[in-house]
Amino acid sequence: MSTTEVSQQPAPDAGDADLPSPAPRPAWLGVPWTTWRRLLTRLAPGLLYLGIRELGFLALTWMAGRDGTTATTALTSWDGQWYLSIASGGYHGVPSTLLDAFGHRTANTSLAFFPGYPELVRGVALLPGVHVVAAGLAVSLVCGIVGAYGVARLGRRVSGSPCVGLILVVLFAASPMAIVLSMAYSEAMFCALAAWTLVGVLERRWVLAGLCAVGAGLVRPTAAALVVTVIAAAVVAIVRRRDGIRPWLGLVLAPAGLLAYLGFVAARTGSPTGWFRIQQQGWDSRFDGGVATVRFGAEVLASGRSVLEVVTVAVLLVAILLVVLCIRQRVAWPLVLYGALVLAMDLGSNGLMNSKARMLLPAFTLLLPVAMALAKRQPRTMIAVLVAIAATSAWFGAYALTGWPYAI
C-alpha cells in the first residue's frame, strides 16, 4: 500500500472510545437464545406431538371419570387386551375370556394379532418394576414420538418448509382416531416404522427403507401398502440405474417381515391362507372390493344413527378427496401411492365398519395438501384452525372409548 493510500484512510475519531459496546446477546440460564432456539427447533416435533396427545389424555380422563371408569382402563380396552395378554404369556397364554367378534375362540384365534408390538412390550416389561400395562403404554408413547419426527421430516422433504413438517405432525397427532396412538395398540409402532420407511424411499436410503418395512411387516397387515411402495420405488431406481445395488437390497428386504409372519401362521394352521381364514372366521374380515363399505356408508348417511359412524363415513369420504388433491398437487408419488393403498385396503375390506377410521390412521401422507394449505395462511388463522382440530380430536377420541359401547 502506498503512502498516498495510507493518508487517505479516515483518522480514528477520538469520540469513538466513548461509544457503548454492542449489547450482549440475550441469554437464559447462561445459555444464549440462539442455542435455545436451535434446541426448540429440534424438539418441536416431539413437543407438539406430546402436547396434543396430552390434550387427548386429559379429555379421556375427564370423560372416563364421568363414565365410571379410568383412562388406563380405556387405553387398554378392546384389542389392547389381546396385545397385552400376548405380551404377558405368548400366543398360548391368552386368557380364555378373550373372544373374537362372534364370541368364539379357537386355538389359533390369537394369531390374528401380529407379534411386533407385543414382543417389544414383552421386552420392556422385563425391566425391573415395569408392569406389562405400563410397558404397553410406554412403547406406544415412544413410538409415537419417533413417528412424529419421521412425519415432520417427510413434510419438510416434500415441501422444503419446516413449517409444513410441523403442521403435518399436528394433523397426524390430531387425526380423528389419534387416541389409538396412546393406547396399547400397534398403530403408533406401525406409523413410526411407516414414516421412516417413506423417509428412506424419498431420500433413496434403501437399506433404511427395507429394514423399516421389515419391522412394519411384523406389526400390522397394512404393511402390504408399504411393501408395494418400496418395491415400486426400488424398481424405478433400478430401471433408471440409480444407487447401484442398494435398491435391490430394499426390494428384497421390504416384504420379508410380512411374508415371515404369514408363513409362520400358515405353518401353524396347515393352510397357506391361514391368517386370512382366522380373520374371516373371527371378525368376518375379508376383501370384498368395497361392497360392504358402500352399503355401510349409505345406511349411516340415511339414518344418522350414531356420531361415531357418521364421522367414520365422513373420514372415508375426505380421504378419497385428499387422494385427488395429492395427485393434483403433485405430491411425491411414493407418498401418494402408499396413502392410496392404505385407503384402498380400508375401503375394500369387509368386517368391523366401526374400525375404518382407525385403520386410516397410517395414511398420514394424505394430509400433506392440508398441511401445505395451512402453511400459507396467516399465523393466527393457522394456529386457530390447528387448535380447533386438536380439541375436536381430543373430544372425539374420548367419546369413542367412553361413550361408544362397541369396539373401535
Side-chain angles (χ1 to χ4, degrees), residues 157 193 196-215 226-255 333-334 337:
R157 178 81 183 183
L193 289 166
W196 285 101
T197 297
L198 296 172
V199 168
V201 169
L202 292 190
E203 297 183 359
R204 292 158 60 183
R205 299 168 61 183
W206 297 106
V207 175
L208 172 66
L211 290 176
C212 287
V214 170
L226 271 179
V227 170
V228 172
T229 301
V230 174
I231 290 176
V235 168
V236 170
I238 292 168
V239 170
R240 294 179 178 178
R241 298 183 179 180
R242 291 178 175 176
D243 306 325
I245 195 176
R246 287 176 295 167
W248 287 100
L249 295 176
L251 187 150
V252 172
L253 284 171
W333 70 263
L337 175 62

Side-chain angles (χ1 to χ4, degrees), residues 106-170:
T106 70
N108 295 322
T109 299
S110 59
L111 294 175
F113 299 89
F114 277 53
Y117 173 74
E119 285 301 317
L120 182 56
V121 172
R122 183 202 299 269
V124 175
L126 292 176
L127 298 174
V130 179
H131 189 270
V132 68
V133 172
L137 298 180
V139 167
S140 291
L141 177 66
V142 173
C143 286
I145 296 171
V146 172
Y149 278 93
V151 169
R153 188 153 169 168
L154 285 174
R156 183 174 68 249
R157 178 81 183 183
V158 169
S159 66
S161 168
C163 181
V164 171
L166 295 180
I167 294 173
L168 189 60
V169 169
V170 173

Side-chain angles (χ1 to χ4, degrees), residues 33 35 41 43 50 60 87 96 109 126 130-131 181 204 222 228 234-235 281 286 350 364 385 392 401 405:
W33 279 110
T35 302
T41 299
L43 294 178
L50 287 175
L60 177 62
S96 59
T109 299
L126 292 176
V130 179
H131 189 270
L181 296 171
R204 292 158 60 183
T222 318
V228 172
V235 168
Q281 293 172 0
R286 64 185 185 279
N350 192 4
F364 49 81
V385 171
T392 303
L401 291 183

Side-chain angles (χ1 to χ4, degrees), residues 13-366:
D13 189 346
D16 287 349
D18 299 328
L19 293 176
S21 58
R25 293 183 177 180
W28 185 53
L29 299 178
V31 179
W33 279 110
T34 53
T35 302
W36 285 113
R37 184 176 180 179
R38 286 196 297 268
L39 179 62
L40 287 174
T41 299
R42 292 178 181 178
L43 294 178
L47 292 176
L48 285 171
Y49 177 85
L50 287 175
I52 293 170
R53 296 310 327 130
E54 178 63 20
L55 178 63
F57 180 77
L58 292 175
L60 177 62
T61 301
W62 172 61
M63 294 180 68
R66 294 177 64 88
D67 197 51
T69 184
T70 66
T72 301
T73 300
L75 292 175
T76 56
S77 58
W78 305 118
D79 287 0
Q81 292 296 305
W82 285 93
Y83 282 121
L84 294 177
S85 296
I86 294 170
S88 297
Y91 283 106
H92 290 297
V94 176
S96 59
T97 52
L98 290 179
L99 307 173
D100 61 29
F102 299 105
H104 303 146
R105 173 73 176 276
T106 70
N108 295 322
T109 299
S110 59
L111 294 175
F113 299 89
F114 277 53
Y117 173 74
E119 285 301 317
L120 182 56
V121 172
R122 183 202 299 269
V124 175
L126 292 176
L127 298 174
V130 179
H131 189 270
V132 68
V133 172
L137 298 180
V139 167
S140 291
L141 177 66
V142 173
C143 286
I145 296 171
V146 172
Y149 278 93
V151 169
R153 188 153 169 168
L154 285 174
R156 183 174 68 249
R157 178 81 183 183
V158 169
S159 66
S161 168
C163 181
V164 171
L166 295 180
I167 294 173
L168 189 60
V169 169
V170 173
L171 295 174
F172 165 62
S175 299
M177 284 303 297
I179 186 66
V180 179
L181 296 171
S182 300
M183 296 180 68
Y185 271 49
S186 61
E187 267 77 3
M189 185 176 180
F190 179 81
C191 287
L193 289 166
W196 285 101
T197 297
L198 296 172
V199 168
V201 169
L202 292 190
E203 297 183 359
R204 292 158 60 183
R205 299 168 61 183
W206 297 106
V207 175
L208 172 66
L211 290 176
C212 287
V214 170
L218 295 172
V219 177
R220 293 194 65 80
T222 318
L226 271 179
V227 170
V228 172
T229 301
V230 174
I231 290 176
V235 168
V236 170
I238 292 168
V239 170
R240 294 179 178 178
R241 298 183 179 180
R242 291 178 175 176
D243 306 325
I245 195 176
R246 287 176 295 167
W248 287 100
L249 295 176
L251 187 150
V252 172
L253 284 171
L258 183 61
L259 293 179
Y261 185 65
L262 293 179
F264 167 77
V265 177
R268 287 282 296 270
T269 60
S271 169
T273 59
W275 184 84
F276 300 96
R277 291 178 60 184
I278 293 172
Q279 282 285 310
Q280 183 170 348
Q281 293 172 0
W283 286 268
D284 192 28
S285 180
R286 64 185 185 279
F287 192 84
D288 68 352
V291 174
T293 303
V294 172
R295 186 183 299 118
F296 166 76
E299 291 175 357
V300 168
L301 294 179
S303 63
R305 58 196 181 195
S306 75
V307 173
L308 187 136
E309 290 175 319
V310 170
V311 171
T312 297
V313 175
V315 167
L316 295 176
L317 293 174
V318 170
I320 295 172
L321 174 62
L322 288 176
V323 172
V324 176
L325 290 177
C326 284
I327 295 172
R328 292 189 62 181
Q329 295 185 16
R330 298 184 179 180
V331 173
W333 70 263
L335 303 186
V336 182
L337 175 62
Y338 165 73
L341 288 174
V342 173
L343 175 60
M345 293 174 68
D346 195 19
L347 292 175
S349 65
N350 192 4
L352 296 177
M353 296 293 136
N354 304 324
S355 299
K356 287 193 174 292
R358 170 172 68 87
M359 298 298 185
L360 268 183
L361 192 59
F364 49 81
T365 57
L366 300 183

